[in-house]
Amino acid sequence: MNRERDRTGPEQPVTTDKQHPQPHRPNAIDSVWSEAFDDFSEIITIQDASLRILRANRRAHEFFQVAPGGLDGMFCYQVFRGEDTPCDGCPLDQTLVSRQRHSLVIEHPN
């Protein structure tokens, strides 16, 4: 991870990626976003194209009884369905193909 010195404070972690070629320093907006994400009463997860969970909100961690960050890197279908393969009609697969919004209500067996 790169580090840059902020003119007003100590070194801050800096991240870059293909979509955001400019360095990104965590800031107050990130903090507000993170708090809002965790304040939803519904389970929310963000997955990558391979269906791995990148981030899950507090409610997801509480529901599945894992420590914060404990769902990161797991496949969504393992977490939500206890399966070894993606769900039939997976909305993420559909979204990646059509570039349109898709959703699916998943009922947890417990």
Side-chain angles (χ1 to χ4, degrees):
M1 178 182 304
N2 297 328
R3 294 201 176 262
E4 276 187 7
R5 186 155 196 77
D6 188 330
R7 291 184 213 152
T8 60
E11 281 189 331
Q12 298 291 318
V14 176
T15 58
T16 59
D17 62 36
K18 291 177 184 176
Q19 292 179 347
H20 303 95
Q22 297 298 316
H24 171 76
R25 268 188 234 119
N27 59 34
I29 293 172
D30 294 329
S31 177
V32 169
W33 183 90
S34 183
E35 287 177 29
F37 183 71
D38 278 338
D39 282 346
F40 278 96
S41 60
E42 294 85 11
I43 294 170
I44 301 173
T45 60
I46 299 172
Q47 290 92 235
D48 65 14
S50 68
L51 306 179
R52 285 192 186 273
I53 295 173
L54 300 174
R55 178 136 188 217
N57 71 344
R58 182 182 352 219
R59 180 67 182 116
H61 289 97
E62 290 169 353
F63 182 83
F64 293 108
Q65 299 178 352
V66 297
L71 299 173
D72 296 357
M74 297 182 72
F75 288 106
C76 58
Y77 49 85
Q78 291 173 323
V79 172
F80 288 101
R81 304 291 296 271
E83 302 279 337
D84 292 329
T85 58
C87 303
D88 289 335
C90 172
L92 181 55
D93 282 344
Q94 293 174 358
T95 297
L96 292 172
V97 170
S98 71
R99 300 286 188 218
Q100 301 294 315
R101 188 178 314 162
H102 296 271
S103 64
L104 176 69
V105 174
I106 298 173
E107 293 187 26
H108 194 272
N110 297 329

